[in-house]
């Protein structure tokens, strides 16, 4: 059993504006600064086969400006591997991590399964002219035309392959992740058979901070955006079968078998992922944490169960905040005094006050026929039901309640259904209203999209005869066949060779007599491993010229 992170979408939010530009108008060209653009490698075919550390990103604002980009490698991994044991026969496409038993991606190059992440706020409003920025390989560029399906408009980001001179992103990471396992190094100390495995792990950004004391135990949330007080408003992120039913909870999940999938901090986001929830050993949760947003994916993989709850139980420090959802737009005060709150399927929840604002939206992926859920709310300093974990109070406890039986979701037990959900949390300044929450929910349901095209669209080889040798790569990266153009100022002998990163000659591309002018040639490179190579052209009696070439599968 697992606490499922989603809240079902309902139609009430459609009565409100789908997008509002607030007084805290966002600076990016699309007005969605908290939102990422995440693309699979399969949609960036020109970059496949490139070493991830060589992929760099830019926008154009009267000149090239480098921006952060993050490649997160993924692979199909056996759950037995994730647990540090023998193969189980059951696999998942997930993030890889050498700091965990998940291990490295078997394909170390950027491949179709990998993810590339950028932030909307870093995109530019203008399209870029040629040529590309210095330090990048000519012909390796891709233009991303980023679109907002809600507000319209287009912004532009450019991806290139570095020639090796640029190095990693030089700026500080926007999401600081301090994974601190109290019992020692993960691979040598973590008990995957049973817990607890206590932690003192913290994620900190300019907008919020969260704390974990064990794999499933999130016991702090602080908002620091826009003048928020920064106090800890969360008791626990809880998961139960039903109110007061303590047989399964985030405590029992952490006390049972389990393991970490990924713990990674990067220039765009932090990833925290783990697996194992009592009789759901392949149930897993992935946190994708951005500067002002958090996406929590939970995949339920367990035998048939009677129902499930997933909710935030706030701490007494949340007193004075207002709770609302799209069924209860006016909201109620969180103060430990019971309130009359209508229940039903909800699309978003919000808590807001001097302590800051959290807007939570649920995204659902399931094939269970007739799946239904309702909402849960309890604000009572002396609650009528046992508080199974955390403190003994129920301050604004709120979230999802599936009261109906859930069929088998575990592939290991035969025929199974899919039940996955993502809780998208927007962190913001104090004092927001229902229209603000509805706009954030619409954004969560309508992610940014991008059209990827080669940059520049074509490489021309027309023009007057050069004074010296000209050597150009007509398509980067090269996939199976290498397309080159060269221009000779005068007729004569010309030799063109290909060298690997170690400086070894691996192919002779041309060697003979050529006429003056432009020439194009195509060569088969299917036998070469993916990577960055160098083509060196040498005309008789003149200086050689060298250009980098990316060869991909």
């Amino acid at each position: 059993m697992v606490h499922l992170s989603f809240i079902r979408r309902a139609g009430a939010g459609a009565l409100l504006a789908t997008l509002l530009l607030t007084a805290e108008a966002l600076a990016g060209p699309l007005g969605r600064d908290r939102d990422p653009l995440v693309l699979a490698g399969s949609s960036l075919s020109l970059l496949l086969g490139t070493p991830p550390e060589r992929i760099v990103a830019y926008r154009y604002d009267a000149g090239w400006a480098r921006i952060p980009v993050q490649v997160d490698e993924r692979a199909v991994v056996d759950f037995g591997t994730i647990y540090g044991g023998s193969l189980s026969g059951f696999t998942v496409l997930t993030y890889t991590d050498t700091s965990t038993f998940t291990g490295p991606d078997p394909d170390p190059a950027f491949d179709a399964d990998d993810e590339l992440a950028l932030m909307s706020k870093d995109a530019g409003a203008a399209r870029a002219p040629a040529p590309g920025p210095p330090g990048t390989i000519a012909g390796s560029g891709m233009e991303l035309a980023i679109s907002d399906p809600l507000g319209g408009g287009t912004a532009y980001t450019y991806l290139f392959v570095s020639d090796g001179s640029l190095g990693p992103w030089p700026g500080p990471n926007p999401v600081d992740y301090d994974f601190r396992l109290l019992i020692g190094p993960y691979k040598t100390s973590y008990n995957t058979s049973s817990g607890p495995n206590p932690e003192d792990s913290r994620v900190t950004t300019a907008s919020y901070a969260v704390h974990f004391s064990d794999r499933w135990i999130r016991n702090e949330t602080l908002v620091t955006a826009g003048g928020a007080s920064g106090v800890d408003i969360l008791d626990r992120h809880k998961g139960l079968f039903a109110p007061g039913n303590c047989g399964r909870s985030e405590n029992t999940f952490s006390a049972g078998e389990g393991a970490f999938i990924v713990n990674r901090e990067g220039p765009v986001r932090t990833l925290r992922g783990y697996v194992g929830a009592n009789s759901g050993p392949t149930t897993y949760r992935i946190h994708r944490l951005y500067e002002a947003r958090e996406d929590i994916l939970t995949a339920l993989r367990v035998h048939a169960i009677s129902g499930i709850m997933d909710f935030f139980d706030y701490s007494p420090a949340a007193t004075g905040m207002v709770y609302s959802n799209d069924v209860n737009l006016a909201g109620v005060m969180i103060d430990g005094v019971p309130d009359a709150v209508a229940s039903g399927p909800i699309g978003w929840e919000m808590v807001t006050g001097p302590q800051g604002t959290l807007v939570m939206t649920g995204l659902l992926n399931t094939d269970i026929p007739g799946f239904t859920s309702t909402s849960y709310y309890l604000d009572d300093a002396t609650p009528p039901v046992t508080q199974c974990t955390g403190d003994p109070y129920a301050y604004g406890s709120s979230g999802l309640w599936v009261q109906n039986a859930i069929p088998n979701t575990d592939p290991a037990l035969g025929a199974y259904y899919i039940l996955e959900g993502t809780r998208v949390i927007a962190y913001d300044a104090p004092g927001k209203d229902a229209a603000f929450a509805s706009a954030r929910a619409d954004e969560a349901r309508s992610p940014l999209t991008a059209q990827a095209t080669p940059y520049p669209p074509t490489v021309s080889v027309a023009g007057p005869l050069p004074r010296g040798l000209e050597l150009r790569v007509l398509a980067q990266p090269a996939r199976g066949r290498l397309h080159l153009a060269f221009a000779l100022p005068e007729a004569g002998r010309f030799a063109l060779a290909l060298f690997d990163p170690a400086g070894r000659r691996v192919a002779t591309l041309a060697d003979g007599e050529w006429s003056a002018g432009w020439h194009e040639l195509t060569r088969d490179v299917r036998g070469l491993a993916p990577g960055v190579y160098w083509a060196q052209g040498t005309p008789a009696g003149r200086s050689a010229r060298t250009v980098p070439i990316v060869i991909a599968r």
Side-chain angles (χ1 to χ4, degrees), residues 177-181 186 190 199-202 260 263 272:
Y177 182 29
D178 181 15
F179 174 66
R180 184 174 301 175
L181 191 63
Y186 175 75
Y190 203 87
E199 297 176 51
D200 181 19
S201 297
R202 185 173 297 277
F260 274 94
N263 285 301
R272 173 185 167 95

Side-chain angles (χ1 to χ4, degrees), residues 56-239:
V56 292
Y58 286 80
R59 67 170 178 264
Y60 192 85
D61 294 325
W64 291 105
R66 191 173 172 187
I67 63 174
V69 61
Q70 181 167 334
V71 173
D72 291 309
E73 294 194 89
R74 300 193 302 171
V76 176
V77 184
D78 190 281
F79 279 100
T81 299
I82 295 172
Y83 274 90
S86 57
L87 299 181
S88 69
F90 297 96
T91 61
V92 62
L93 173 60
T94 191
Y95 300 104
T96 56
D97 187 351
T98 56
S99 75
T100 71
F101 298 120
T102 308
D105 188 341
D107 184 349
F110 184 56
D111 60 50
D113 288 339
D114 295 342
E115 285 184 344
L116 182 145
L118 300 150
M119 293 304 297
S120 169
K121 69 177 182 177
D122 294 323
R127 300 187 73 176
T136 63
I137 296 176
S140 69
M142 295 193 73
E143 178 185 82
L144 301 181
I146 306 171
S147 299
D148 177 6
L150 293 174
T154 304
Y156 298 92
T157 292
Y158 295 84
L159 303 174
F160 296 92
V161 178
S162 165
D163 64 9
S165 65
L166 295 174
W169 170 247
N173 294 335
V175 185
D176 179 73
Y177 182 29
D178 181 15
F179 174 66
R180 184 174 301 175
L181 191 63
L182 297 182
I183 54 179
Y186 175 75
K187 286 186 176 180
T188 57
S189 305
Y190 203 87
N191 187 344
T192 60
S193 300
S194 65
N197 290 283
E199 297 176 51
D200 181 19
S201 297
R202 185 173 297 277
V203 175
T204 307
T205 82
S207 298
Y208 66 94
V210 299
H211 180 268
F212 299 89
S213 63
D214 209 323
R215 197 168 68 250
W216 290 90
I217 301 178
R218 175 192 184 129
N219 59 355
E220 291 182 19
T221 296
L222 303 80
V223 184
T224 53
S229 65
V231 299
D232 172 23
I233 61 172
L234 185 69
D235 176 29
R236 285 288 186 91
H237 182 178
K238 295 188 175 183

Side-chain angles (χ1 to χ4, degrees), residues 306-440:
S306 59
I308 203 167
M309 299 182 72
D310 175 77
F311 61 99
F312 272 26
D313 177 28
Y314 296 95
S315 71
T319 297
M321 301 184 81
V322 173
Y323 170 84
S324 60
N325 57 41
D326 54 344
V327 176
N328 300 269
L329 298 177
V332 293
M333 182 74 71
I334 297 175
D335 54 9
V337 178
D339 303 285
V341 175
S343 61
I346 54 176
W348 56 260
E349 297 179 291
M350 179 173 68
V351 292
T352 187
Q355 301 92 327
T357 298
L358 275 67
V359 177
M360 291 167 284
T361 308
L363 309 175
L364 173 68
N365 175 30
T366 186
D367 58 0
I368 298 175
F371 182 87
T372 60
S373 67
T374 189
S375 58
Y376 174 73
Y377 186 79
L378 179 63
D379 187 33
D380 197 331
T382 57
V385 292
T386 301
Q387 299 299 291
C388 301
T389 62
D391 65 32
Y393 318 114
Y395 277 83
S397 297
S398 48
L400 171 82
W401 187 2
V402 180
Q403 296 177 319
N404 299 327
I406 298 173
N408 175 55
T409 54
D410 188 348
L413 301 179
Y416 69 98
Y417 291 93
I418 295 172
L419 187 51
E420 299 177 353
T422 300
R423 179 192 291 261
V424 179
I425 307 176
Y427 297 92
D428 217 289
K432 302 302 181 181
D433 59 15
F436 176 87
S438 180
R440 302 293 78 76

